[in-house]
Amino acid sequence: MTANAIKAAIRDIPDFPKPGIVFKDITPILRNPVLFRAAVQLFADRHRGRAIHRIAAIESRGFLFGAALALALGVGLVPIRKKGKLPYRTVEETYDLEYGTATIEAHEDAFEAGESVLLIDDLLATGGTARAAASLIERLGARVLEIDFLIELTFLDGRSRLSPHPIFAPISF
Ligand code: AMP
């Protein structure tokens, strides 16, 4: 199963969640077990045998791929969540959106000092969310090995905001 077959299942939803945004709907991938497995396999094939101590997944669609990949690789999972959702003591990072700001959090004991973390989300747009998540991980004493996305919107050049972290995104639009 190639990345092209997975790409073909992604559905464009114009003007969602607001006018002018073309939302990339991944639910057709999730509801098809062959495609979902193939999507997770793209990441698993890349990382099998690498020294990854933890996978950090960004709420909420990052959880879907992050959790499946964590099981496939036999690696622990850390959720990075929107502010106010995590129950224990947290550290937070605030970043700019087109209008206003957003805040994400991780538990303060989520990572061991010096461990290598693979950060994952479903889609790279401007890169603001992933950049904030990467800086949270580093503030907690861990190292970001790579940032992975199933989909990259290349015209937004989010990649440049994530420098110097390596990026892997098998599907681009
Ligand atoms: P950004 O911080 O701009 O890179 O936005 C990334 C986050 O917003 C990811 O968690 C995506 O799931 C979501 N997102 C942004 N733009 C889109 C889009 N066009 N379609 C689907 N999800 C999007």
Side-chain angles (χ1 to χ4, degrees), residues 21-24 59 61 121-130 153:
I21 304 283
V22 179
F23 191 85
K24 297 295 184 189
E59 182 170 3
R61 286 177 299 279
D121 200 359
D122 68 323
L123 181 142
L124 171 60
T126 66
T129 312
L153 302 182

Side-chain angles (χ1 to χ4, degrees), residues 5 8 69 122 128 135 160:
L69 182 62
D122 68 323
S135 90
S160 67

Side-chain angles (χ1 to χ4, degrees), residues 3 42-43 46-47 121-124 146-154 159 166-173:
L42 292 173
F43 300 113
R46 178 173 178 80
H47 296 296
D121 200 359
D122 68 323
L123 181 142
L124 171 60
E146 185 173 282
I147 311 179
D148 287 11
F149 307 88
L150 183 65
I151 304 162
E152 175 178 9
L153 302 182
T154 50
R159 210 172 250 268
I167 307 297
F168 172 65
I171 295 172
S172 50
F173 289 95

Side-chain angles (χ1 to χ4, degrees), residues 13 23 25 45 50 58 115 123 145 162 164 167 171:
I13 311 290
F23 191 85
D25 179 17
D45 288 346
R50 273 191 176 177
I58 300 175
E115 69 181 12
L123 181 142
L145 182 76
L162 299 177
I167 307 297
I171 295 172

Side-chain angles (χ1 to χ4, degrees), residues 33-46:
V34 175
L35 292 178
F36 188 22
R37 178 183 290 275
V40 174
Q41 208 61 42
L42 292 173
F43 300 113
D45 288 346
R46 178 173 178 80

